[in-house]
Amino acid sequence: MKLVVDSHTHTVSSGHAYSTIQEMAKEAQNNGIEMLAITDHGPAMKGAPFLYHFGNLKVIPSELYGVRIIKGVEANIIDYDGNTDMPQDYLKRLDYVIASFHEICITPSTVEEHTRAVLNILKNPLIDAIAHPGNPQFQVNIEKVVKAAKEYNKFIEINNHSFAVRTGSEKNCKEFVQKCKEYGVKIVCGSDAHISFDVGKFDNVYKLLGDIHMPENLIMNISIEKFEEFLRNKRIKIASL
Ligand SMILES: [Zn+2]
Ligand SMILES: [Zn+2]
């Protein structure tokens, strides 16, 4: 199995990441990544770009060094009602939207509240996936989240970076993959690279997916065509909203 799409990465625009889009794309090409989603942090995170950044992503070519560039955001979940720091009319213009909890943007609460927030996020037609949902600081009811992802046809992200920076994520990530397999929910895999050299780094993800024998049809990053099909369908869905 080879993952050829990296669906979660950050550029220098995030404020605490260190490579330009050109550097990221070049390294993607070197690492056999055919499609790269740029998902810089939403504006609620200190050092992240202002909204205008996300309104102007059209100036970036859709292909760089032979690598397809997907323009997205990692929106910050800012309350437990399902709001993010990105207005809906900005989300509409993006190819791909992931949303996540970060302690510096929202204070952790109870499992019930975290779960309620994620269920509300999954209902938002403009949000495609929950990023690093295995973070134990924002523990959720995994079964409920996976079932909701199934209901709303959304993705669960398995984040390679979590294993290093979000201590205790392994157990939750494993359970997420198991439940996704059980319920037939698709996953997306992100390196969450904050520097070009980490683009396409999926060592932890490969191990986990191998251990659980995750079927390839449930893994979005397995082919560029599969991801393109999802993006096309998303555009049709947005046009009908
Ligand atoms: Zn994140
Ligand atoms: Zn990230």
Side-chain angles (χ1 to χ4, degrees):
M1 182 181 71
K2 164 89 179 125
L3 303 177
V4 293
V5 179
D6 190 341
S7 53
H8 183 161
T9 67
H10 297 273
T11 72
V12 70
S13 299
S14 277
H16 59 274
Y18 307 96
S19 303
T20 63
I21 290 179
Q22 283 100 319
E23 290 162 341
M24 301 290 279
K26 192 91 192 127
E27 208 59 34
Q29 184 200 40
N30 290 340
N31 295 347
I33 294 296
E34 297 167 9
M35 183 187 258
L36 177 68
I38 302 291
T39 52
D40 280 310
H41 289 290
M45 187 172 288
K46 280 210 170 77
F50 188 70
L51 276 177
Y52 300 159
H53 170 92
F54 299 100
N56 198 33
L57 290 174
K58 58 185 178 297
V59 302
I60 300 166
S62 58
E63 198 177 306
L64 281 169
Y65 308 110
V67 175
R68 175 82 164 85
I69 305 295
I70 302 303
K71 297 153 196 182
V73 65
E74 181 176 11
N76 291 293
I77 301 173
I78 51 166
D79 62 31
Y80 291 104
D81 299 324
N83 291 302
T84 74
D85 59 347
M86 291 287 297
Q88 293 286 91
D89 59 324
Y90 274 84
L91 291 183
K92 248 182 206 172
R93 302 182 219 173
L94 299 175
D95 296 325
Y96 180 61
V97 176
I98 57 179
S100 60
F101 289 115
H102 294 107
E103 230 189 335
I104 39 185
C105 297
I106 182 169
T107 310
S109 178
T110 60
V111 173
E112 289 69 31
E113 281 294 90
H114 303 153
T115 305
R116 184 169 76 85
V118 172
L119 299 194
N120 285 331
I121 287 284
L122 290 171
K123 278 181 204 164
N124 186 334
L126 301 176
I127 298 177
D128 305 305
I130 295 291
H132 49 75
N135 184 358
Q137 279 184 316
F138 292 93
Q139 184 67 44
V140 291
N141 181 317
I142 295 177
E143 174 123 11
K144 278 189 185 163
V145 168
V146 171
K147 279 182 165 173
K150 174 91 183 170
E151 183 182 349
Y152 299 113
N153 199 20
K154 300 297 173 71
F155 307 132
I156 296 293
E157 183 192 81
I158 302 301
N159 185 299
N160 198 71
H161 198 48
S162 280
F163 296 76
V165 295
R166 285 174 275 271
T167 324
S169 289
E170 291 88 342
K171 191 177 151 284
N172 282 339
C173 292
K174 190 172 176 190
E175 197 179 333
F176 262 113
V177 177
Q178 280 166 334
K179 293 280 179 211
C180 285
K181 183 180 172 184
E182 188 183 332
Y183 289 106
V185 169
K186 294 192 179 88
I187 62 162
V188 281
C189 307
S191 68
D192 207 354
H194 283 66
I195 191 160
S196 59
F197 309 111
D198 286 341
V199 170
K201 233 186 211 176
F202 286 125
D203 41 341
N204 299 312
V205 171
Y206 278 128
K207 183 171 182 318
L208 182 58
L209 299 185
D211 286 350
I212 292 170
H213 304 290
M214 187 63 167
E216 291 196 2
N217 66 314
L218 295 180
I219 307 169
M220 287 304 292
N221 309 57
I222 215 91
S223 87
I224 187 166
E225 290 77 18
K226 191 170 182 168
F227 218 92
E228 290 281 15
E229 188 192 358
F230 145 69
L231 294 172
R232 272 196 307 276
N233 288 336
K234 186 184 173 188
R235 295 259 54 103
I236 296 167
K237 183 176 84 178
I238 288 179
S240 72
L241 289 176

